[in-house]
Amino acid sequence: MTKHILPPVAKKISVQLEKHGDIRTDDYFWMKERDAPEVLDYLNQENEYYHKLTAHTKDFQKSLFEEMKGRIKEDDSSVPYKHNGFWYYRRFETGKDYPLYCRKEATLDSEEIIVFDNNKMAEGHTYFSQASYAVSEDNMIAAFGIDTVSRRQYTIRFKNLKTGEIYPAEIKNTTGGAVWSNDNKTVYYSRKDEETLRSNQIFKHTLGTDPSQDELVYQENDETFYTYVFKSKSKDYIMIGSDSTMTSEFRFASAAKGTTDFKVFQERTRGLEYAVSHYDDSFYIQTNKDKATNFKLMKTPVSATGMENWVDIIPHRDDTLLEDVEIFKDFLVVSERSNGLNKIHIKRWDNSESYYLPFDNETYDAYPTTNIDFDTQILRYAYNALNTPASVIDFDMVTQEKVVLKEQEVLGGNFYKDNYNMERIWATAQDGVKVPVSIIYHKDTQLDGTAPLLQYAYGSYGSTTDPSFSTIRLSLLDRGFIYAIAHVRGGEYLGRKWYEDGKLLKKRNTFTDFIDVSKHLISNSYTSASHLYAYGGSAGGLLMGAIVNMAPELYSGIIAAVPFVDVVTTMLDDTIPLTTGEYDEWGNPNEKESYEYMKSYSPYDNAFAKAYPNIFVTTGYHDSQVQYWEPAKWVARLREMNQADTKIMFHCNMDAGHGGASGRFEALKEIAEDYAFLLDLESINR
């Protein structure tokens, strides 16, 4: 890397932040002033510094981009699914960044109808995203949401699918989704708080009326909850959900026609989580009731939904996490996780048959996909593994025969799954717990400690990173990199307790697990500290910030994408999007114990004088999840504290938000930047 180019120096204006008698000094608090000239100037200086520092890799970035793009089938399409007499699918055209959403009536041999061409809709916008669209039960009108800023504030509009007319009504500041009642003229949608971006209201809109006249159906006043709306698979009910990290509540009403008369299913009880599905004269409930840590399935009559009426259908199991259910007319399909592995359990309602789909890999990813039809014996599911491209499969639950509808194509002629070794190992954490790690590498890569290795984890919100296939990752594997997913506590890879042991006052387990996995990989000659790299984004970016403070000597380089790194300050500011809803994940710093614990690991508050590795930090100016100023402030402090001759780089995409650039291939350019950073540190330039 170029050494003589100097980074921008952020001005220091000390602000004293006091809480619980403790005073923190923030020299870069001024960066919070969105759109202020001095803030924009500083961000632009950072971007200029980044571009100068990486100018020698620009050609390599372009070739990496073309290489990754070259493996992707440009004129690709999804597997069609049937709904209400129409076949729906999404396809791409060569050279275009955005999808076309299409349908065909009755049979797949019918003439194609382009419902939405996102390429035309994106013209004139630097960012474009369409939320999933919903079609009325008479197949005539589509409600769709559009975001052209990347703040995830969608505007809902309506399109007549017979005439192509876009109706003038615009419903702003929504989550993007809409749910039709069965009368074909009423839709329900979620609206967001303008400041915090929390979805806090459900409205009813009648087609053809002014959105300003829309009727408020439900208001979620608890700032730790968000609300949403959906229709049961049976199409009989409109359901309104309210969720926080630890508590659920649902309301339901007949979907026959537009109504505001919603009945509470089971009122919220602190710590009670549940989800609801409808079948026949009963509701089925996935819940942690009765201390069912890994969840169980219960049943209750439609006429008596309170939890005193719930009875067990699938009891709680200590060794199996119940993740989801799919309800069909004759079958119940249960998605489970045992010892970290996905399992799909198929049961007849009459209990005459019960079996699991067979999967024989050591580590893989399998899950039901689009299963809209209620009266069918076909289950559609997806399967892939670290070395196996994704397949979409139709499985006949009666005959137990399967048909592979599509397997992901890897273009370029250089991919053969047998060229890659895949394994799962277990590292011992400092408290004796075994942490699973999924690994893939090219068969020619030597495990003698000299190979570069990229270690990834997320580790928050119970979100599980399954070992899935990536064509993009091949650009690292084919250049000798090993890729490892550390299934650290904070996710649910090993069940709900695995999550509970990595949150709140046990959050540090996430960080120490990652570090202990790194030490295991080094001691077992997968790599060495001079060739070990780490990557994480959002809450995984917090993980990166923590490990780089706790064990900087273990890593040659770190990539932190949209990182949540100023934990204490953010969690004390309830005007910032998502803050109040996060108290059950991170704790409430208005309580002294939580404040002190957060402060003990918050990356920004713990950036002290030490030798840091090379670090590349990315963010989006319009990020609605992690505000741009968190990584900006963090980078400024890291540079101030860094005692090593390493580079700390920061790139702020001024047109994007939390998910990065929009467009199918624009996002690849950002990945090419990440990979060029890693490969440059390894002196690999081709």
Side-chain angles (χ1 to χ4, degrees):
M1 287 187 177
T2 307
K3 296 287 186 181
H4 63 276
I5 302 171
L6 297 178
V9 178
K11 67 180 180 180
K12 298 172 71 172
I13 304 174
S14 294
V15 173
Q16 303 294 308
L17 304 172
E18 190 275 334
K19 192 71 177 178
H20 304 297
D22 179 60
I23 296 176
R24 294 176 300 125
T25 300
D26 189 346
D27 292 329
Y28 305 110
F29 193 82
W30 60 270
M31 292 187 189
K32 188 177 177 180
E33 296 300 317
R34 183 184 294 277
D35 297 336
E38 62 267 29
V39 172
L40 292 172
D41 180 61
Y42 177 73
L43 294 176
N44 287 326
Q45 286 183 49
E46 283 284 6
N47 284 342
E48 183 180 0
Y49 170 69
Y50 165 73
H51 289 303
K52 286 181 178 179
L53 204 62
T54 58
H56 66 290
T57 71
K58 292 303 179 185
D59 288 342
F60 187 34
Q61 288 181 35
K62 291 178 182 177
S63 65
L64 283 170
F65 167 76
E66 294 297 338
E67 175 181 299
M68 291 185 287
K69 181 181 177 183
R71 296 193 194 99
I72 298 172
K73 181 174 169 52
E74 289 201 47
D75 56 342
D76 202 4
S77 62
S78 64
V79 177
Y81 65 89
K82 196 171 187 180
H83 179 56
N84 251 8
F86 281 81
W87 290 92
Y88 289 88
Y89 58 97
R90 184 183 71 165
R91 66 178 179 84
F92 289 90
E93 293 182 343
T94 301
K96 295 184 178 180
D97 244 336
Y98 295 95
L100 290 83
Y101 293 95
C102 308
R103 70 176 186 172
K104 294 182 177 182
E105 188 171 6
T107 72
L108 288 172
D109 295 326
S110 302
E111 181 181 358
E112 179 181 82
I113 302 165
I114 297 175
V115 181
F116 297 106
D117 183 346
N118 280 183
N119 298 285
K120 292 180 179 178
M121 297 165 71
E123 290 176 0
H125 300 291
T126 55
Y127 178 91
F128 178 85
S129 173
Q130 178 181 329
S132 57
Y133 65 98
V135 178
S136 58
E137 294 295 341
D138 63 3
N139 297 308
M140 292 292 291
I141 309 293
F144 62 102
I146 297 296
D147 174 15
T148 57
V149 177
S150 193
R151 288 285 285 175
R152 299 186 181 180
Q153 292 174 283
Y154 289 85
T155 297
I156 293 175
R157 302 201 65 183
F158 299 90
K159 181 176 182 178
N160 186 308
L161 299 183
K162 185 174 182 179
T163 66
E165 176 188 4
I166 303 291
Y167 294 160
E170 294 186 347
I171 306 174
K172 298 183 182 297
N173 191 34
T174 78
T175 58
V179 177
W180 290 91
S181 68
N182 296 340
D183 64 5
N184 302 307
K185 64 180 182 180
T186 307
V187 294
Y188 299 89
Y189 63 90
S190 305
R191 182 169 285 168
K192 294 187 170 186
D193 181 281
E194 287 279 5
E195 186 172 30
T196 67
L197 303 187
R198 178 176 67 96
S199 55
N200 65 333
Q201 296 175 319
I202 304 297
F203 279 86
K204 184 186 79 168
H205 173 77
T206 302
L207 210 61
T209 65
D210 189 327
S212 66
Q213 304 302 311
D214 288 358
E215 189 170 359
L216 179 64
V217 174
Y218 175 67
Q219 170 92 27
E220 179 52 71
N221 292 317
D222 189 327
E223 293 183 347
T224 66
F225 281 73
Y226 67 95
T227 188
Y228 53 96
V229 61
F230 63 97
K231 185 187 285 188
S232 64
K233 185 175 178 178
S234 65
K235 300 184 181 181
D236 289 342
Y237 293 100
I238 303 292
M239 311 289 297
I240 293 175
S242 287
D243 280 352
S244 71
T245 304
M246 295 177 59
T247 308
S248 314
E249 183 179 73
F250 286 87
R251 287 165 169 77
F252 66 104
S254 170
K257 58 183 179 180
T259 181
T260 58
D261 185 20
F262 282 79
K263 178 183 177 182
V264 175
F265 188 92
Q266 162 60 45
E267 67 180 24
R268 65 190 64 179
T269 301
R270 174 74 173 171
L272 175 67
E273 297 176 67
Y274 70 96
V276 181
S277 301
H278 173 246
Y279 170 65
D280 200 18
D281 58 357
S282 300
F283 284 112
Y284 289 79
I285 308 112
Q286 297 164 245
T287 181
N288 65 348
K289 183 178 180 290
D290 305 321
K291 299 181 180 180
T293 306
N294 276 334
F295 289 78
K296 61 181 177 177
L297 188 67
M298 305 186 78
K299 175 183 177 181
T300 195
V302 167
S303 58
T305 61
M307 65 178 174
E308 66 275 8
N309 302 296
W310 301 359
V311 296
D312 283 5
I313 298 298
I314 299 177
H316 176 258
R317 293 159 290 174
D318 290 332
D319 61 350
T320 301
L321 176 67
L322 193 159
E323 292 191 314
D324 201 3
V325 297
E326 284 275 4
I327 288 180
F328 298 89
K329 181 181 178 182
D330 296 320
F331 294 91
L332 171 67
V333 177
V334 184
S335 296
E336 304 173 354
R337 187 181 296 272
S338 179
N339 197 33
L341 301 181
N342 305 121
K343 294 185 178 180
I344 299 177
H345 188 188
I346 298 172
K347 298 164 61 75
R348 280 190 178 271
W349 286 113
D350 62 9
N351 293 319
S352 63
E353 194 172 24
S354 176
Y355 59 91
Y356 285 87
L357 290 183
F359 303 117
D360 54 6
N361 259 341
E362 181 182 13
T363 180
Y364 58 87
D365 185 17
Y367 52 92
T369 57
T370 308
N371 290 282
I372 294 177
D373 282 350
F374 177 71
D375 187 4
T376 180
Q377 64 191 49
I378 302 299
L379 169 71
R380 180 166 293 181
Y381 72 94
Y383 176 88
N384 72 117
L386 286 171
N387 67 347
T388 305
S391 296
V392 177
I393 299 163
D394 270 359
F395 178 79
D396 190 313
M397 294 181 283
V398 175
T399 67
Q400 299 190 29
E401 295 175 333
K402 70 177 185 179
V403 177
V404 178
L405 301 176
K406 180 179 180 178
E407 182 173 276
Q408 178 184 3
E409 292 185 59
V410 183
L411 303 184
N414 297 318
F415 172 76
Y416 304 96
K417 63 174 293 185
D418 292 340
N419 283 342
Y420 303 90
N421 293 332
M422 180 180 68
E423 56 186 90
R424 185 170 66 159
I425 63 173
W426 300 78
T428 303
Q430 60 185 29
D431 60 357
V433 170
K434 298 293 185 181
V435 181
V437 189
S438 297
I439 297 177
I440 184 171
Y441 52 92
H442 195 281
K443 66 180 183 181
D444 294 337
T445 299
Q446 299 299 307
L447 303 184
D448 57 6
T450 63
L453 186 150
L454 179 59
Q455 181 179 331
Y456 172 82
Y458 183 73
S460 293
Y461 302 105
S463 177
T464 299
T465 303
D466 282 305
S468 57
F469 181 76
S470 168
T471 62
I472 297 166
R473 191 186 301 135
L474 298 175
S475 290
L476 290 181
L477 302 181
D478 291 348
R479 289 175 172 85
F481 264 77
I482 299 170
Y483 184 79
I485 302 170
H487 302 289
V488 296
R489 280 174 281 189
E492 283 187 342
Y493 187 81
L494 291 181
R496 182 70 173 189
K497 190 175 186 301
W498 200 244
Y499 168 42
E500 300 290 346
D501 286 345
K503 64 185 287 196
L504 296 172
L505 298 178
K506 297 181 179 180
K507 187 64 212 171
R508 292 178 70 92
N509 283 337
T510 302
F511 316 139
T512 54
D513 281 0
F514 192 93
I515 291 169
D516 291 333
V517 167
S518 297
K519 291 177 179 178
H520 182 89
L521 292 168
I522 291 170
S523 64
N524 285 271
S525 298
Y526 285 92
T527 190
S528 62
S530 59
H531 296 291
L532 178 57
Y533 303 89
Y535 172 84
S538 193
L542 162 63
L543 171 58
M544 295 299 100
I547 61 122
V548 83
N549 282 333
M550 296 167 69
E553 72 282 355
L554 290 180
Y555 307 96
S556 176
I558 300 283
I559 299 176
V562 293
F564 173 42
V565 285
D566 192 9
V567 182
V568 179
T569 305
T570 291
M571 293 303 297
L572 281 170
D573 187 350
D574 59 12
T575 68
I576 293 176
L578 306 181
T579 292
T580 54
E582 305 280 285
Y583 287 160
D584 287 335
E585 179 70 26
W586 311 105
N588 182 348
N590 292 296
E591 300 169 359
K592 187 175 181 180
E593 184 181 26
S594 291
Y595 172 89
E596 291 176 344
Y597 190 77
M598 283 183 194
K599 186 183 174 185
S600 76
Y601 67 73
S602 174
Y604 186 62
D605 292 296
N606 289 279
F608 301 125
K610 63 185 69 177
Y612 283 102
N614 298 285
I615 301 174
F616 180 33
V617 181
T618 62
T619 193
Y621 185 63
H622 299 290
D623 197 323
S624 60
Q625 314 299 106
V626 178
Q627 308 301 309
Y628 71 86
W629 59 78
E630 288 199 42
K633 289 165 52 177
W634 183 49
V635 165
R637 178 167 283 184
L638 284 173
R639 288 214 192 99
E640 179 187 359
M641 296 296 176
N642 189 17
Q643 304 294 300
D645 185 22
T646 52
K647 295 297 180 184
I648 298 175
M649 300 188 298
F650 178 54
H651 186 206
C652 180
N653 187 326
M654 302 303 289
D655 298 317
H658 198 64
S662 67
R664 189 185 189 195
F665 298 119
E666 283 301 308
L668 291 181
K669 294 178 181 177
E670 295 183 337
I671 297 171
E673 291 179 351
D674 293 344
Y675 283 11
F677 168 77
L678 299 172
L679 293 164
D680 190 43
L681 289 171
E682 286 292 316
S683 300
I684 298 171
N685 56 18
R686 63 183 64 183

